[in-house]
Amino acid sequence: MSEKLSVTLNVQVVGGPRISASWTKEVEAYDKIDVTVEAGTEKEVDVQPSAIGQVEFLMISLADATQYGTDITYKNSPDSPDAVNLDAPQVFIGTGAVGLLNLAAPTKLFFSNGLSTDASVQVLVGRDATPFIPIT
């Protein structure tokens, strides 16, 4: 059984043009993850149950919009030197967009909170649920 994600995006330049896009993305499963990353700590978050690169949709946002900036970051490996700043809500639609994060098989995300206050992080993941069986 598939699930449908309905996505609507509206961008308008104040006093200028407006661009809108709307579409439906079918996925086999989804997870909504709400996690608190305490001030000055790191937090590991499970994104999908297997390491087979099935993420087709990924949205990461903060409950408090005043916290966007360079103090909250995430990466796909605790050893990765390349952390991504959570400086705005981030939406990746399609395996190509998710792949831009070098997350070919994202099973976990690692958040770091450099603020002096806790941060509520919201992650929405849409994924393929079909098990991958490699041909040998």
Side-chain angles (χ1 to χ4, degrees), residues 40-78:
T41 67
E42 295 182 358
K43 183 84 150 202
E44 179 179 317
V45 177
D46 291 323
V47 175
Q48 71 171 336
S50 60
I52 55 178
Q54 296 175 310
V55 173
E56 299 177 26
F57 178 92
L58 178 65
M59 180 174 176
I60 305 168
S61 63
L62 294 169
D64 180 352
T66 66
Q67 293 180 324
Y68 288 114
T70 59
D71 293 314
I72 300 174
T73 63
Y74 65 94
K75 50 191 175 178
N76 67 332
S77 165

Side-chain angles (χ1 to χ4, degrees), residues 46-132:
D46 291 323
V47 175
Q48 71 171 336
S50 60
I52 55 178
Q54 296 175 310
V55 173
E56 299 177 26
F57 178 92
L58 178 65
M59 180 174 176
I60 305 168
S61 63
L62 294 169
D64 180 352
T66 66
Q67 293 180 324
Y68 288 114
T70 59
D71 293 314
I72 300 174
T73 63
Y74 65 94
K75 50 191 175 178
N76 67 332
S77 165
D79 303 324
S80 175
D82 300 320
V84 177
N85 291 333
L86 192 53
D87 55 359
Q90 297 180 5
V91 181
F92 304 89
I93 303 168
T95 55
V98 173
L100 291 173
L101 289 174
N102 196 21
L103 297 174
T107 59
K108 299 177 185 295
L109 291 175
F110 298 84
F111 290 91
S112 179
N113 180 356
L115 296 171
S116 60
T117 58
D118 295 351
S120 295
V121 179
Q122 302 166 332
V123 180
L124 183 61
V125 180
R127 59 184 168 77
D128 184 359
T130 306
F132 175 74

Side-chain angles (χ1 to χ4, degrees), residues 3 6 20 27 35 40 52 56 123 134:
E3 302 286 345
S6 176
S20 298
V27 296
V35 63
I52 55 178
E56 299 177 26
V123 180

